[in-house]
């Protein structure tokens, strides 16, 4: 590994000893479990037996790093019984089905907590466990659209632009699930009891709009999309194309930062409109656009290096590791030849660390079950009954 090793962990991560059962799913729940794994939790992922094969499997997916995989047939009574047995010694259970599915499989909250009152049961859905849409299908764009998080994103006079699936799936979904699980684990230290964490992407996306509600309440966000301070409406908070077809990000909000922006662009004495003169923002934008077009992205990066103009290059995810700041901090790391974000946030004494690469479904079935207290004879019997499967 590179990068993160510049600040090696001084010992086990802060979640060392926490056992997590994860039912395999897509995007937000695996992201939450990645965060927990990076912080030292022992994650055992339950994959489908139908996903087990001998084809080469990619190992570079960060969302699935740091855990082992057991392939279980959840529709097989013996498979469901095995999950209940494993959950009896687990601290956390994570699933991402629609409401009611785990109950029908016999691994719902009541089923698992009957034998383990301390279990924290994390549920990741788009619409939540209750409400008129709870059983409906949806994706990130639907959840953030309904939450009010999509409408403000986009250029003036144009359609809202999906911010990838970062706001619903990951920021409002997986990250909030991880926070909820950590909160429940902390509360358990006082009560001795686990609880259900109902993490819904619509809830989390709405929570992420809290600052916008604050700005509106104070009269600072009352214009249409693309005409406000932080949505590209202000010429000093936007991106600009450079001579080589790349972009610079400008965030010079405060007057002292704005003055350094003008100095770097060579416009300090250009008799420009006042910064807060909204009626003339289009003039400012035109001048900034023309100025940035005269040099390449790297040339502008050099111009503003060492200043507080709040001007930085817009980097792709694949080149971000090359920036000196990211390299110095070890923001990215390499795992089996795959570059990926390093664990965050950073803890002083019990730092997070990248564990094993993403496992193939069922690659750890026997070994992981033995480690979780299932004896070899029981593993063999479960395999014979088709309740579990091992990757060839």
């Amino acid at each position: 590994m590179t990068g993160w090793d510049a600040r090696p962990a001084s010992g086990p991560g802060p979640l060392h000893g926490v056992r997590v059962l994860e039912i395999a799913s897509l995007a937000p729940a695996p992201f939450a479990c990645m965060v927990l794994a990076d912080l030292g939790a022992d994650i055992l992922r339950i994959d489908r037996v139908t996903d087990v094969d001998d084809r080469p499997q990619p190992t570079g997916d960060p969302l699935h790093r740091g855990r082992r995989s057991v392939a279980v047939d959840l529709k097989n009574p013996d498979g469901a019984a095995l999950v209940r047995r494993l959950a009896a010694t687990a601290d956390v259970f994570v699933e991402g089905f629609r409401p009611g599915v785990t109950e029908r499989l016999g691994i719902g909250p009541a089923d698992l907590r009957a034998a383990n009152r301390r279990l924290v049961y994390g549920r990741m859905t788009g619409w939540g466990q209750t409400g008129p849409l709870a059983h409906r299908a949806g994706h990130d764009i639907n959840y953030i659209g309904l939450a009010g998080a999509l409408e403000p994103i986009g250029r003036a006079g144009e359609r809202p632009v999906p911010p990838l699936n970062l706001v619903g799936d990951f920021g409002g979904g997986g990250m909030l699930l991880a926070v909820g699980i950590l909160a429940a684990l902390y509360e358990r230290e006082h009560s001795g009891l686990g609880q259900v964490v109902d993490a819904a992407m619509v809830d989390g996306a709405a929570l992420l709009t809290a600052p916008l509600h604050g700005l509106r309440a104070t009269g600072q966000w009352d214009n249409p999309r693309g005409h406000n301070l932080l949505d590209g409406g202000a010429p000093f908070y936007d991106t600009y194309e450079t001579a080589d077809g790349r972009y610079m990000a400008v965030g010079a909000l405060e007057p002292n930062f704005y003055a350094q922006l003008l100095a770097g662009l060579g416009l300090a004495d250009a008799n420009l409109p006042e910064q807060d003169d909204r009626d003339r923002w289009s003039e400012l934008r035109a001048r900034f656009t023309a100025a940035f077009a005269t040099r390449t992205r790297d040339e502008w990066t050099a111009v503003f290096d060492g200043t507080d103009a709040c001007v930085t290059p817009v980097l792709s995810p694949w080149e971000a590791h090359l920036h000196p700041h990211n390299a110095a901090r070890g923001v990215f790391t390499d795992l089996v030849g795959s570059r990926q974000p390093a664990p965050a946030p950073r803890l002083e004494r019990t730092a997070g660390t990248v564990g094993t690469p993403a496992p193939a479904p069922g690659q750890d079935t026997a070994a992981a079950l033995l480690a979780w207290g299932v004896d070899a004879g029981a593993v063999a019997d479960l395999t014979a009954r088709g309740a579990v499967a091992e990757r060839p």
Side-chain angles (χ1 to χ4, degrees), residues 195-336:
Q195 58 185 304
V196 173
V197 178
D198 176 5
M201 285 173 257
V202 67
D203 299 351
L207 186 65
L208 292 176
T209 68
L212 300 184
H213 288 273
L215 289 171
R216 186 172 180 84
T218 57
Q220 300 178 71
W221 196 284
D222 51 9
N223 294 305
R225 177 174 57 254
H227 289 280
N228 298 283
L229 187 65
L230 301 177
D231 62 359
F236 44 86
Y237 198 88
D238 206 346
T239 59
Y240 291 91
E241 187 172 2
T242 56
D244 55 349
R246 297 180 177 181
Y247 295 88
M248 297 295 290
V250 176
L253 295 171
E254 292 80 0
N256 54 323
F257 301 157
Y258 181 72
Q260 294 184 58
L261 165 65
L262 297 187
L265 291 175
L267 298 174
D269 300 315
N271 194 30
L272 297 177
E274 291 297 320
Q275 179 181 4
D276 295 326
D277 188 350
R278 286 176 176 257
D279 292 336
R280 301 184 67 185
W281 271 1
S282 60
E283 296 178 45
L284 272 182
R285 188 182 308 280
R287 298 296 295 274
F288 292 171
T289 299
F292 275 109
T294 62
R295 299 188 186 187
T296 67
R297 186 188 68 178
D298 291 347
E299 288 172 337
W300 282 120
T301 300
V303 167
F304 288 103
D305 185 36
T307 76
D308 280 339
C310 301
V311 179
T312 52
V314 176
L315 305 177
S316 75
W318 333 124
E319 61 178 336
H321 70 283
L322 297 171
H323 191 277
H325 181 81
N326 293 337
R329 283 185 58 80
V331 175
F332 295 87
T333 190
D334 289 327
L335 184 62
V336 291

